[in-house]
Amino acid sequence: MAANKSTKAQAAKVDDSTMEQFKVESFDVRKYNTIFYSIRDLYARESQRQLGSENFDWKAFKIQFEICFGRPEDCRYTTEQLLIFAKHKFNMSLEDLLAYNRKSWELRKKREQQYAEMEQINSVI
């Protein structure tokens, strides 16, 4: 029997390696840090809730988290693995984690503005 030839056109893979410093990272890589830090923050808040604010040590938590999950630069786990973990542990999807991270950044910016305003008031006094 003769082998059937595929009539489907094969798409050529685009090689963007020549873009060097202008190369855009893939979607997974760009979202990895957001997912990673959202999980870390959620895990810290849950631990703080369980231990109580007075017993929670942020520095010790960060060290323990790094032992378990590594640093974002290490990419110890894939994006999919982090999303599965977030789904099982916090019942949060990618969209939930992105929204959580966005809200977290907004709160940080507000706090920074408040501190800056307080510093201005204190310097005037």
Side-chain angles (χ1 to χ4, degrees), residues 101-113:
N101 188 269
R102 193 176 318 109
K103 191 181 285 188
S104 176
W105 274 107
E106 289 171 3
L107 288 173
R108 286 183 198 138
K109 287 179 184 177
K110 281 183 183 178
R111 267 191 241 123
E112 285 178 6
Q113 285 179 333

Side-chain angles (χ1 to χ4, degrees), residues 62-123:
K62 283 173 55 174
I63 291 168
Q64 190 65 36
F65 191 85
E66 188 174 319
I67 290 169
C68 182
F69 285 88
R71 294 176 297 161
E73 305 87 47
D74 301 339
C75 291
R76 187 178 289 178
Y77 299 101
T78 65
T79 304
E80 291 80 19
Q81 288 172 316
L82 290 179
L83 288 173
I84 291 168
F85 176 81
K87 187 67 175 172
H88 288 296
K89 192 74 173 176
F90 307 110
N91 196 27
M92 294 183 84
S93 65
L94 173 62
E95 293 79 19
D96 297 330
L97 292 170
L98 296 177
Y100 179 85
N101 188 269
R102 193 176 318 109
K103 191 181 285 188
S104 176
W105 274 107
E106 289 171 3
L107 288 173
R108 286 183 198 138
K109 287 179 184 177
K110 281 183 183 178
R111 267 191 241 123
E112 285 178 6
Q113 285 179 333
Q114 289 173 345
Y115 290 141
E117 290 170 2
M118 287 178 11
E119 287 296 319
Q120 288 177 346
I121 292 170
N122 289 339
S123 65

Side-chain angles (χ1 to χ4, degrees), residues 36-53:
F36 182 90
Y37 286 119
S38 294
I39 289 173
R40 187 178 79 173
D41 193 51
L42 287 163
Y43 214 109
R45 288 178 184 268
E46 185 62 32
S47 297
Q48 188 175 22
R49 202 170 323 171
Q50 289 177 357
L51 295 172
S53 296

